[in-house]
Amino acid sequence: MASSNMPYAVRAYERRRLADALRKMILIRKFEEAAEASYMRGLIHGTMHLSIGQEASAVGSCMSLEERDKITSTHRGHGHCLARGADLGRMFAEFFGKETGYCRGRGGSMHIADVERGNLGANGIVGGGLPIAVGSALSAKRLGTGAVTVCFFGDGANNEGAFHESLNMAAIWKLPVVFVCENNLYGMSMSTDRSTAVGNISERAAAYSMPGATVDGNDFSAVAEAVDAAVARARAGEGPSLVENMTYRLRGHSRSDRNRYRTKQEIDDWAKRDPITRLFGMLVSHGVMAEGDMAELDGDAARKIDDALAFAASSPDPKVEEAAFYVYAGSGAR
Amino acid sequence: MPVEVIMPKVDMDMASGKILAWHVSAGDEVSKGDPLFDIETDKAAMEVESPGDGILRFPVDEGAVVQIGRPVGWIYADGEVASDPPGGIPSSKDEFRQSVPGEATADGSRNNISSGPDNISGKFRASPLARSLARADGFEIATIVGTGPRGRIEAKDVRNYQARRESEADTSDALAVSESASGTGTPIILLHGFASDAKSWTRLESNLGQRPLVRMELPGHGRSQILKAVGFPDLAATVRQTFDGLNLDKAHLIGHSLGGALLLDLANARPDLVASLTLIAPAGLGPEINGELLAGILRATRSESLGPWLKKLVADESLVTESYVQAAMRDRMEQSTRAAQEAMADALFPDGVQAFDLRAALARVEVPTRILWGKQDRMIQWNHALRAPGRVAIHLLDGIGHMPQIEAPEEVARIIEANL
Amino acid sequence: MSGRSERVRGKLSYAEAIREALDIAMDRDERVVLMGEDIGVYGGAFQVTGDLFGKYGPERVIDTPISELGGAGVAIGAAMTGLRPVFEFQFSDFAALAMEQIVNQAAKLRYMLGGAVSVPVVMRFPAGSGTGAAAQHSQSIEAWLGHVPGLKVVQPSTPEDAKGLLLSAIEDPDPVMIFEHKLLYKTKGHVPRGHYETPIGEAALRRIGHSLTIVATSIMARKSLSAAEELARQGIHADVIDLRSIRPIDRETVLASVRKTGRLMCVYEGVKTLGIGAEISAMVAESDAFDFLEAPIVRLGGAECPIPYNPELEKSVVPQEPDILEAARNLVQGRI
Ligand SMILES: Cc1ncc(C[n+]2csc(CCOP(=O)(O)OP(=O)(O)O)c2C)c(N)n1
Ligand SMILES: [Mg+2]
């Protein structure tokens, strides 16, 4: 049957949702390109970690999440944030250190959170989000909210003690959490070959008695299929899972990376497996979209980004006198 | 328990008051209702009466600014032991409300200078160094007035106090005093101006008739010794001390220039002992003074350079003859005299400005008071006289400079005589 | 006689001076190994280890996985048993992940075992704010470790000291924690050639004055020195003490200066409360130097909040040169 050969995504989602997913991936890409351009023009302080090339992992992993669900994110978290529908303007405003930013200019790119939409925050500490995700799942279970928490983390984080401790606790308490490892082959300069004793990180699931799967992280449909199943399992009260999305960051680790640990060839090869091109191709081949639609999608994203940049640029800076607001409850507005 | 003497609140928005002068000294006996000290606030000046009978102890220094309600001294009953000023409970709890250290301040400030009450009853702000200096010298630090922030006693205050005490000690009969051979009636006290001496009264004296005259001479002037401490409060204290030593029931005071300012201060401190006050071109009524002229006189080391400056002191310069200049220079030949006067000028008139202000004192003096001033005065402008309150008579002399007692002795004597 | 080339050597950056020290130590002692994240081919997050990987290879320049607790612990275990590891934290903030091994193991092993073992490990911590890296990558946590008996804690402020203190640390039989302010890495200065040791526990009097004593650490020593130049133009002459070592602390240098000036100001980037300034102040208050104080002690430290991201906010929460100037003037001119 033709239908059984159809990719999971085409089978599982309506056209509108598929188009939306593509639109989000394009938006993430354009957003990060614009952030990169602003960074290079000196408008952004500090450092930033771009997820260009990893958009399918972010968007595919959030397909079956509902409003009540939570995610924890990482230093490479713009995609996760946008996948959950964050406001572009407030994100740029945060990059620009503005009072209208998601963290009122106090956190920057590495700490963006959108708590209203269930994003408990990016994290400057590798592995820092793992126990927090387990805690979020614990409260969902105790409070009976039915919420599932998706915990994003990188391959590098799987060697922190927090990873192992978190998976174990999630498993012994059967908590509704999905561990999504975005394996982009490197933790900064260290390849997983050198850093990690197992071939696939998903093998580590066995040590904590939970299902583990490794999928092509640049294939939107494959990601969605694996994570949807894990979310369903979590929601059904059957406990945690570990999904490993094999992907690649096309940019350096941060803006100061000189790519000495990998080859140009490797980067070029991965560029050919661009998740956006692949999803678009799939949607065209299944008649969900037409070849000509790309230009419109691009234009759409570009307009949104221009508006967001304008909003951010014209926003006020936080007041220096208010630097110590929000240290404790009761200081500052919220 | 000793009776606490506090800085009273005498004005609605008064936060603190300045002790202008004590009418009694530490160790003196006072009775309830006796005038104890004078205070000055932003708006008013007034006398404060003793709240009890006994011996005054630990009075804060004159010139100190004290918050209202804080003690300025204690009155001990006879025989009550007074080793330390008594401690006390601060009258306001607020003083002990402190911010929690390390508390995140809402405004994010971090390096705010710690503030605190200006004073705590029975406690004295003093730097550790000041305390150890006082301890080494064996005196109670509380007897000193601090000039640091919030009245903190600092090392320099201790050192100044030590210097003052020393100079007081070796000049117990501080100022040279000369008295006229005879005379009847209330005596007249004469005090000359800066860089002058008692001889400057000679012309006036011969016109003053038969009253007993007492001439004081400023430290480092005439026959008075040189004092180490030379600020206005020190001088005023020395004048008071000398005056007290004379044991007069009443006196008329006539002072010229700086001498005028000092006798005005005396009249304010000893109102009951003063019959009248005559101020000739007095200092202390405004900041301006001719610094160049002062400096010129101080610098001169021979009559050629002194003469031209002396001429500026009078309107009719022919009065300053060569022999007058030579006599004046003879008095200034001693290098130590010149140095002493220079130190004094530096303290009293820094940068050519009068560093003391006696307008408030003048406002308080109630005895008949008059001011005489030459309209051609080139040292201090006569219009300072206009700052006097209405009850003070003002006599402006045309064609006269800074030295009316020399330039127009008969006229000056007539004005004074008419009012004695 | 030193040759001409000896004399014409240019200035080195702070990062280069550390690298030179590592190179010298590795060259003279086979037991010295480097450990840390991305210190190999990447050259270190701040390019401190640079090309040492090329020179000494992966056996001696060891990239660890992102495993701070384990990595630091491995270095400690190796130090107990014959190696001389120099462990680099990518940011000092990540010491928090390794606190167990640092505080419960490295610091206490010699003592708990009655002197039977030594833990000659060196740990390097890129520290401080000013890079826009926000709350989890900008802290100054030296006082945390300064609170632990068994550790030694130093904060070099110049390239010369960065090299000399690191060489001392490597020779030291006990665990030495070195805090390197990230903004110092690119600063340059004269660095003596060859092997030399800057003694741990000795402060440096960088400038002599009489009006006040400024005790500063790390980058604040630089800022204070520069402020002191300006103060001198205004007639205020500061003794500027670069503390260099916070455990042990050079008590005598501080007390002698305070006895002379009577006024003390502490400048440090760590959070003001319960920080280095508290220790220095207490040290003076507990000593005879107290009797020489003429004014309250002033502490300029970090605000009671995490380091914010926004650049203006970030600057506002740690002492800057104008703050030092103003505080020094207030202190000397009797406004506090
Ligand atoms: C505890 C901790 N150690 C080290 C770092 C520095 N650091 C930031 S990102 C990173 C690499 C993380 O690798 P990975 O988890 O694979 O995420 P990726 O950057 O590849 O997305 C490192 C070492 C950190 N932020 N936190
Ligand atoms: Mg990675």
Side-chain angles (χ1 to χ4, degrees):
Chain A
M1 290 286 289
S3 76
S4 64
N5 282 337
M6 279 212 283
Y8 166 81
V10 179
R11 278 184 278 126
Y13 309 127
E14 302 162 16
R15 304 164 74 93
R16 189 184 49 80
R17 291 210 66 206
L18 289 169
D20 260 5
L22 179 64
R23 197 171 285 123
K24 265 186 184 157
M25 284 166 60
I26 292 169
L27 198 61
I28 294 171
R29 175 71 56 89
K30 299 278 176 212
F31 174 88
E32 290 202 308
E33 284 170 355
E36 188 175 34
S38 296
Y39 188 92
M40 287 190 294
R41 273 186 288 134
L43 298 171
I44 297 178
H45 191 40
T47 186
M48 77 167 30
H49 306 94
L50 300 174
S51 66
I52 291 176
Q54 306 186 177
E55 296 85 351
S57 170
V59 176
S61 299
C62 294
M63 285 305 285
S64 55
L65 293 190
E66 301 167 4
E67 228 170 86
R68 61 184 160 163
D69 294 333
K70 311 283 184 206
I71 65 167
T72 62
S73 175
T74 70
H75 58 283
R76 204 174 302 288
H78 306 153
H80 311 145
C81 197
L82 287 167
R84 297 235 57 195
D87 180 78
L88 297 169
R90 289 190 67 192
M91 287 182 70
F92 276 129
E94 189 55 39
F95 293 180
F96 293 174
K98 305 291 188 154
E99 183 71 26
T100 53
Y102 269 111
C103 316
R104 295 177 183 267
R106 277 129 177 114
S109 154
M110 220 174 355
H111 302 291
I112 286 201
D114 181 6
V115 179
E116 277 167 38
R117 291 188 181 82
N119 178 354
L120 300 180
N123 212 307
I125 300 300
V126 169
L130 281 144
I132 291 173
V134 177
S136 162
L138 176 67
S139 61
K141 183 167 178 176
R142 289 280 154 270
L143 300 175
T145 62
V148 172
T149 303
V150 167
C151 169
F152 288 102
F153 62 99
D155 51 282
N158 102 93
N159 294 313
E160 288 281 16
F163 166 86
H164 298 271
E165 298 177 24
S166 298
L167 263 67
N168 186 55
M169 281 185 278
I172 58 175
W173 296 326
K174 276 205 169 185
L175 297 178
V177 54
V178 179
F179 298 100
V180 176
C181 178
E182 299 190 297
N183 184 344
N184 57 11
L185 309 189
Y186 296 92
M188 215 158 142
S189 71
M190 205 178 197
S191 65
T192 48
D193 303 345
R194 294 172 57 223
S195 72
T196 305
V198 289
N200 286 324
I201 290 167
S202 65
E203 291 168 37
R204 292 198 156 155
Y208 304 105
S209 281
M210 65 175 79
T214 299
V215 300
D216 177 351
N218 283 12
D219 176 352
F220 166 80
S221 182
V223 170
E225 184 167 12
V227 178
D228 281 359
V231 170
R233 178 179 139 84
R235 216 174 304 274
E238 289 160 26
S241 315
L242 170 59
V243 177
E244 179 184 20
N245 297 333
M246 299 303 298
T247 181
Y248 198 79
R249 59 169 158 75
L250 293 170
R251 294 294 191 271
H253 164 72
S254 66
R255 293 295 315 154
S256 55
D257 188 349
R258 290 180 287 173
N259 286 317
R260 277 198 263 183
Y261 50 87
R262 58 182 188 175
T263 62
K264 177 93 178 33
Q265 184 62 50
E266 183 182 286
I267 300 171
D268 289 346
D269 286 349
W270 277 92
K272 289 185 198 122
R273 300 195 236 161
D274 187 310
I276 293 176
T277 321
R278 285 172 67 187
L279 175 58
F280 183 61
M282 184 187 93
L283 296 184
V284 170
S285 70
H286 290 88
V288 179
M289 288 207 152
E291 279 298 344
D293 290 349
M294 195 57 161
E296 192 209 311
L297 289 173
D298 277 356
D300 222 36
R303 259 189 313 281
K304 282 188 182 138
I305 280 159
D306 285 347
D307 290 351
L309 281 169
F311 165 80
S314 63
S315 287
D317 279 315
K319 296 197 185 75
V320 163
E321 315 81 73
E322 298 180 355
F325 275 18
Y326 314 113
V327 178
Y328 294 108
S331 65
R334 258 295 169 192
Chain B
M1 273 292 280
V3 178
E4 200 180 51
V5 182
I6 60 159
M7 172 61 69
K9 178 166 165 127
V10 296
D11 203 353
M12 216 163 54
D13 51 359
M14 170 182 177
S16 61
K18 179 170 166 186
I19 305 274
L20 281 174
W22 286 93
H23 294 289
V24 293
S25 322
D28 286 356
E29 217 175 303
V30 289
S31 309
K32 188 167 175 162
D34 281 356
L36 197 56
F37 61 97
D38 291 345
I39 58 169
E40 185 182 80
T41 69
D42 293 348
K43 297 196 201 108
M46 65 181 289
E47 194 174 81
V48 179
E49 294 172 356
S50 173
D53 301 321
I55 315 272
L56 176 68
R57 300 237 185 254
F58 308 117
V60 305
D61 274 12
E62 292 176 355
V65 177
V66 181
Q67 245 190 303
I68 57 164
R70 304 284 176 236
V72 298
W74 282 268
I75 295 175
Y76 283 73
D78 238 354
E80 195 172 353
V81 187
S83 52
D84 271 324
I89 300 138
S91 52
S92 157
K93 282 191 196 115
D94 290 353
E95 291 163 7
F96 285 94
R97 199 203 305 138
Q98 289 173 346
S99 62
V100 178
E103 197 174 52
T105 48
D107 61 358
S109 67
R110 59 180 194 286
N111 300 324
N112 42 359
I113 290 164
S114 65
S115 58
D118 280 359
N119 226 322
I120 294 180
S121 173
K123 301 276 186 199
F124 296 85
R125 281 188 191 280
S127 76
L129 180 55
R131 287 184 198 273
S132 59
L133 289 174
R135 207 161 43 236
D137 199 11
F139 65 84
E140 177 56 50
I141 187 113
T143 51
I144 302 181
V145 169
T147 59
R150 296 186 295 277
R152 182 167 66 231
I153 303 164
E154 297 183 341
K156 68 171 186 298
D157 301 317
V158 176
R159 295 194 177 108
N160 284 344
Y161 171 81
Q162 287 168 323
R164 200 159 62 231
R165 207 183 39 183
E166 261 167 49
S167 66
E168 271 166 20
D170 55 44
T171 55
S172 48
D173 190 7
L175 299 183
V177 170
S178 59
E179 296 178 39
S180 61
S182 59
T184 51
T186 307
I188 297 177
I189 299 211
L190 296 160
L191 184 55
H192 62 83
F194 182 72
S196 179
D197 61 30
K199 293 199 295 292
S200 62
W201 298 115
T202 316
R203 279 167 160 241
L204 180 67
E205 283 176 16
S206 51
N207 290 286
L208 272 184
Q210 283 311 301
R211 296 193 185 259
L213 300 178
V214 181
R215 313 171 199 95
M216 289 185 191
E217 285 181 312
L218 292 172
H221 292 67
R223 277 165 300 121
S224 279
Q225 328 175 18
I226 293 169
L227 288 190
K228 277 193 201 129
V230 289
F232 191 85
D234 306 306
L235 289 179
T238 314
V239 169
R240 269 202 304 279
Q241 187 191 339
T242 308
F243 176 79
D244 291 346
L246 296 171
N247 271 320
L248 302 174
D249 294 336
K250 274 283 188 222
H252 297 287
L253 307 182
I254 303 178
H256 172 235
S257 197
L258 174 61
L262 287 163
L263 292 188
L264 167 53
D265 186 87
L266 178 66
N268 177 41
R270 302 284 182 267
D272 300 340
L273 304 181
V274 174
S276 78
L277 176 63
T278 302
L279 305 173
I280 305 175
L285 301 186
E288 303 86 358
I289 190 165
N290 189 337
E292 201 190 349
L293 179 44
L294 272 174
I297 294 172
L298 285 170
R299 255 200 323 268
T301 55
R302 53 190 113 150
S303 46
E304 287 82 346
S305 51
L306 183 62
W309 293 112
L310 289 187
K311 287 186 173 151
K312 288 186 186 283
L313 290 177
V314 296
D316 175 2
E317 299 189 353
S318 69
L319 280 171
V320 179
T321 60
E322 210 161 301
S323 62
Y324 179 91
V325 174
Q326 276 162 5
M329 195 61 231
R330 265 197 303 282
D331 293 336
R332 313 185 49 75
M333 273 325 272
E334 279 292 327
Q335 152 66 26
S336 59
T337 303
R338 290 203 307 272
Q341 292 187 5
E342 219 161 314
M344 217 160 140
D346 189 50
L348 296 169
F349 312 113
D351 306 323
V353 169
Q354 302 191 36
F356 47 93
D357 185 349
L358 292 160
R359 276 177 291 170
L362 184 56
R364 268 188 308 274
V365 169
E366 283 173 0
V367 296
T369 301
R370 69 202 65 82
I371 296 176
L372 283 71
W373 222 309
K375 285 170 98 173
Q376 274 69 45
D377 192 327
R378 284 178 276 180
M379 180 63 93
I380 308 177
Q381 283 167 20
W382 65 265
N383 56 15
H384 284 194
L386 301 180
R387 293 167 185 166
R391 89 182 99 82
V392 173
I394 299 175
H395 304 264
L396 300 176
L397 310 176
D398 213 4
I400 301 295
H402 187 56
M403 311 289 290
Q405 72 276 34
I406 291 174
E407 297 177 75
E410 301 89 350
E411 179 83 1
V412 172
R414 242 193 321 276
I415 295 168
I416 294 172
E417 282 284 339
N419 292 286
L420 290 185
Chain C
M1 278 225 7
S2 58
R4 187 176 145 68
S5 63
E6 198 87 340
R7 271 178 281 122
V8 296
R9 155 158 137 141
K11 295 179 174 182
L12 293 191
S13 75
Y14 188 97
E16 286 164 343
I18 296 170
R19 181 152 66 248
E20 186 168 278
L22 293 171
D23 193 5
I24 289 171
M26 292 178 84
D27 190 52
R28 69 206 290 266
D29 186 348
E30 277 288 322
R31 298 172 302 167
V32 176
V33 296
L34 311 186
M35 295 176 68
E37 292 163 19
D38 307 288
I39 64 167
V41 59
Y42 195 89
F46 296 97
Q47 296 301 309
V48 172
T49 47
D51 53 6
L52 291 175
F53 178 77
K55 183 164 176 187
Y56 295 99
E59 296 290 314
R60 293 187 67 198
V61 181
I62 305 167
D63 268 337
T64 66
I66 308 173
S67 308
E68 288 80 10
L69 175 68
V74 169
I76 290 164
M80 284 169 72
T81 50
L83 292 183
R84 295 256 164 179
V86 179
F87 187 87
E88 174 181 298
F89 281 87
Q90 205 159 78
F91 286 79
S92 67
D93 311 65
F94 310 153
L97 285 87
M99 274 319 238
E100 192 286 305
Q101 286 291 318
I102 299 173
V103 173
N104 291 330
Q105 310 300 337
K108 300 180 170 62
L109 277 163
R110 176 193 297 281
Y111 183 83
M112 292 185 303
L113 274 54
V117 293
S118 278
V119 187
V121 71
V122 177
M123 297 191 179
R124 297 183 33 248
F125 303 88
S129 68
T131 64
Q136 295 173 334
H137 289 72
S138 304
Q139 300 170 80
S140 297
I141 61 158
E142 52 280 346
W144 301 6
L145 297 187
H147 197 63
V148 182
L151 302 180
K152 296 183 179 177
V153 182
V154 300
Q155 292 182 277
S157 78
T158 66
E160 177 174 352
D161 283 354
K163 179 177 169 185
L165 283 168
L166 177 51
L167 286 169
S168 288
I170 291 171
E171 293 300 315
D172 201 284
D174 289 310
V176 181
M177 312 288 117
I178 306 183
F179 284 84
E180 303 161 358
H181 199 290
K182 296 184 283 266
L183 296 186
L184 291 175
Y185 281 131
K186 292 197 171 122
T187 60
K188 297 207 160 196
H190 287 289
V191 176
R193 284 172 181 278
H195 187 274
Y196 65 92
E197 292 181 21
T198 303
I200 294 171
E202 272 183 25
L205 183 57
R206 301 265 187 226
R207 189 191 168 95
I208 297 181
H210 52 79
S211 324
L212 79 159
T213 299
I214 301 179
V215 177
T217 57
S218 188
I219 196 166
M220 292 301 156
R222 269 178 82 91
K223 290 189 186 176
S224 298
L225 261 180
S226 154
E229 305 280 337
E230 175 58 27
L231 287 170
R233 283 189 281 278
Q234 300 172 13
I236 294 173
H237 301 276
D239 254 9
V240 179
I241 297 175
D242 176 357
L243 204 54
R244 298 202 291 198
S245 168
I246 62 167
R247 176 175 278 272
I249 283 191
D250 183 348
R251 210 166 157 267
E252 243 342 284
T253 298
V254 173
L255 298 188
S257 173
V258 171
R259 283 184 207 109
K260 178 178 73 176
T261 66
R263 291 185 154 82
L264 170 65
M265 176 160 121
C266 310
V267 192
Y268 51 108
E269 181 165 326
V271 171
K272 177 174 161 181
T273 302
L274 294 168
I276 290 160
E279 183 53 38
I280 300 287
S281 309
M283 217 168 72
V284 168
E286 285 176 339
S287 76
D288 75 291
F290 175 78
D291 281 341
F292 294 85
L293 282 178
E294 265 283 64
I297 295 168
V298 172
R299 288 182 291 160
L300 287 189
E304 309 294 325
C305 71
I307 302 291
Y309 166 71
N310 174 287
E312 289 310 310
L313 259 52
E314 184 180 20
K315 265 186 241 140
S316 78
V317 300
V318 298
Q320 303 294 341
E321 206 178 309
D323 304 323
I324 302 174
L325 279 174
E326 192 193 327
R329 278 195 298 258
N330 284 340
L331 177 56
V332 172
Q333 292 166 356
R335 281 194 287 274
I336 58 162

